[in-house]
Amino acid sequence: MLTGVNEATFLSGQFLLAMPGMGDPRFERAVIAMCGHDKHGALGIGLGATIEGLSLHDLLDQFQIAHGAAPNAPVHFGGPVEPRRGFVVHSLEWRGQDTINVADRWALSGTVDVLRAIAEGTGPERWVVALGYAGWEGGQLDGELARPGWFNVAGEPSLLFDTPTEERWTRAFAAAGVDPRLLVIGGGTA
């Protein structure tokens, strides 16, 4: 008996990369850390672009948290859904009240306790801060994946934590053995 033929492939713990020319400027060169994906929907945090003029210290100031040990790191454009809601994608050794483990590759926290811990020097060793998220209803992402526009790759934590933001998209494709300059969406006619 064949197994897996009708089973959905879920992308939690992987990266979703926008293909060149996908047509949606919000996702130009997007690198989305997929933090949840099942038959009910999907949630990912964009980590391919930062929000100009906004830093971690600005966020800490909004919550009246002393900067303490927190470096003044950039804040990423997590996605177009709830753009004022914050998330921290971080290493697995730290857990807060709402932290979820994402496929044993990284963790996701969305409450102010992680920001306090980072400022106090007791938070996760490695982290990236984002505002907003990319979300899909049940079956929606699966439908989008059936059409050109997205490419998924393994979720190597080094891409999140050791790669500069402006290099993540290119390096993620390169790790998969793909040169994105050679990709096109759509096809010609003969």
Side-chain angles (χ1 to χ4, degrees):
M1 176 175 188
L2 293 174
T3 59
V5 174
N6 292 318
E7 292 178 24
T9 301
F10 297 121
L11 303 178
S12 296
Q14 296 185 36
F15 295 111
L16 199 57
L17 308 175
M19 298 281 283
M22 91 175 304
D24 187 336
R26 298 173 302 172
F27 293 108
E28 184 71 26
R29 294 177 61 99
V31 177
I32 301 175
M34 295 303 298
C35 295
H37 183 206
D38 61 24
K39 66 181 180 179
H40 303 292
L43 179 137
I45 306 296
L47 299 171
T50 58
I51 300 171
E52 187 148 341
L54 185 65
S55 69
L56 175 59
H57 285 182
D58 296 327
L59 290 180
L60 294 175
D61 291 345
Q62 289 178 21
F63 288 105
Q64 299 178 348
I65 298 171
H67 301 169
N72 198 18
V75 174
H76 293 74
F77 172 68
V81 181
E82 295 189 56
R84 296 180 53 85
R85 184 172 177 191
F87 295 93
V88 178
V89 179
H90 58 84
S91 49
L92 292 167
E93 82 287 344
W94 186 88
R95 292 198 52 85
Q97 62 187 5
D98 77 332
T99 301
I100 60 169
N101 178 317
V102 180
D104 287 328
R105 293 191 174 139
W106 60 77
L108 177 68
S109 295
T111 57
V112 74
D113 66 324
V114 69
L115 295 178
R116 281 192 190 100
I118 289 169
E120 293 168 358
T122 60
E125 290 178 25
R126 298 162 45 165
W127 46 267
V128 180
V129 177
L131 287 179
Y133 65 94
W136 295 266
E137 293 181 1
Q140 182 183 2
L141 179 57
D142 307 294
E144 288 185 25
L145 291 170
R147 299 182 303 273
W150 294 108
F151 185 78
N152 65 292
V153 297
E156 292 302 320
S158 63
L159 186 70
L160 286 175
F161 305 121
D162 302 328
T163 305
T165 302
E166 63 278 1
E167 296 176 20
R168 284 187 182 124
W169 185 77
T170 304
R171 285 196 188 177
F173 272 112
V178 175
D179 183 345
R181 296 172 301 175
L182 302 177
L183 297 174
V184 295
I185 291 186
T189 57

